[in-house]
Amino acid sequence: MRIPSSTIGTFFVAAALSVTLAALVYPSMLGVQNASSNPVRVIATTPYGPLTEADRNFVVFVRSAGLWEYPSGQLALKKGTTQAVRTAGQHLVIGHAALDASCRRIAPLLGVTLPNQPTPQQQGFLNTLTSDTGKNFDTDLANILRVTHGSIFNTIAKIRSTTENTLVRQLADQANDVVLDHITQMEKTGLVNFDQVNVQETAPPKLPAAQVTPPVPPAGQPPVVLTPPPGVPTDGVPVGPPVGPTASPTAG
């Protein structure tokens, strides 16, 4: 399947998502004034285990991903020209609403500040999908979101295998289930150009940190809440295991 050059150009922007975790810095979080580039540096001690920079960045990233992928799913429900694309939209809104609830639940327990806006790069993805129509929308949705979900999939595994924080570990378990489901839904559209997607996931361009870092919200600003739209069925949509404190915070 041949993909328009405009879509291929979008891939090059989308693929930079794989460097997002390395670039995410929230220096105002947890009183950190000079964030280091060492992802294993412990930045807080919590009842649920040590919190590293990579742990914090992962929680922030899951939240910021939902801030653009959830509305992308809403667009798919309205603009998708095939049932497969509309079904993908259903899975996006339900899955990211579940992940968002988990992020909002554990962030105060870990002392992590959550963004209320996506990164400039992610907003660019959403702008593209907002302006798209017809088959162009279907193709861009399937390929952009296949790249972004594929890029984060390996990072989820790394966080899950290395974190000592039980809440971050739970979030990684949930994200693994949801992201794998979303990858599968994009592939079920029949529109994914695997050759191009693989190129973008393995050799992504690098963007300035400002493009892949979500803005820090003003102090006291209430969090944006993502909830399943009324009338969108949730049956059969994987949302992963529940995330939250257990009776033994540091066990498991």
Side-chain angles (χ1 to χ4, degrees):
M1 179 184 68
R2 184 177 181 276
I3 293 186
S5 58
S6 61
T7 300
I8 293 174
T10 303
F11 285 169
F12 280 92
V13 177
L17 182 66
S18 63
V19 302
T20 300
L21 285 180
L24 276 174
V25 284
Y26 253 42
S28 66
M29 285 183 180
L30 306 169
V32 177
Q33 299 303 316
N34 297 301
S36 79
S37 59
N38 182 3
V40 300
R41 184 175 72 93
V42 175
I43 57 176
T45 301
T46 81
Y48 310 97
L51 186 78
T52 65
E53 286 191 11
D55 294 337
R56 175 199 62 194
N57 293 347
F58 180 67
V59 177
V60 170
F61 177 79
V62 173
R63 164 71 168 180
S64 69
L67 292 172
W68 81 273
E69 291 174 2
Y70 176 95
S72 295
Q74 291 179 304
L75 290 172
L77 288 170
K78 297 177 182 178
K79 297 169 62 173
T81 67
T82 70
Q83 184 57 51
V85 171
R86 292 190 291 272
T87 297
Q90 174 198 6
H91 284 240
L92 286 170
V93 297
I94 300 303
H96 280 291
L99 286 174
D100 185 71
S102 295
C103 289
R104 288 184 286 103
R105 187 179 303 118
I106 70 173
L109 302 175
L110 300 177
V112 173
T113 301
L114 294 178
N116 269 339
Q117 299 177 47
T119 71
Q121 180 203 32
Q122 292 166 337
Q123 185 61 52
F125 302 155
L126 186 56
N127 291 345
T128 294
L129 296 175
T130 299
S131 63
D132 274 347
T133 58
K135 290 295 184 181
N136 284 340
F137 172 84
D138 294 346
T139 300
D140 280 352
L141 178 91
N143 285 281
I144 293 174
L145 280 112
R146 177 58 179 81
V147 169
T148 56
H149 283 85
S151 296
I152 191 59
F153 200 47
N154 289 335
T155 301
I156 294 171
K158 184 174 182 180
I159 289 290
R160 179 60 181 84
S161 64
T162 59
T163 184
E164 297 180 43
N165 189 284
T166 57
L167 296 184
V168 175
R169 193 178 304 148
Q170 291 173 30
L171 181 63
D173 286 341
Q174 184 184 31
N176 184 78
D177 290 353
V178 172
V179 170
L180 178 57
D181 172 60
H182 293 176
I183 288 174
T184 302
Q185 293 304 315
M186 296 309 133
E187 293 169 349
K188 284 184 176 181
T189 65
L191 299 172
V192 174
N193 182 324
F194 288 97
D195 289 340
Q196 188 65 53
V197 165
N198 289 336
V199 167
Q200 296 312 308
E201 288 183 10
T202 57
K206 293 184 178 181
L207 294 180
Q211 289 295 307
V212 292
T213 305
V216 178
Q221 184 180 78
V224 172
V225 177
L226 307 181
T227 57
V232 177
T234 61
D235 293 345
V237 180
V239 295
V243 176
T246 62
S248 180
T250 58

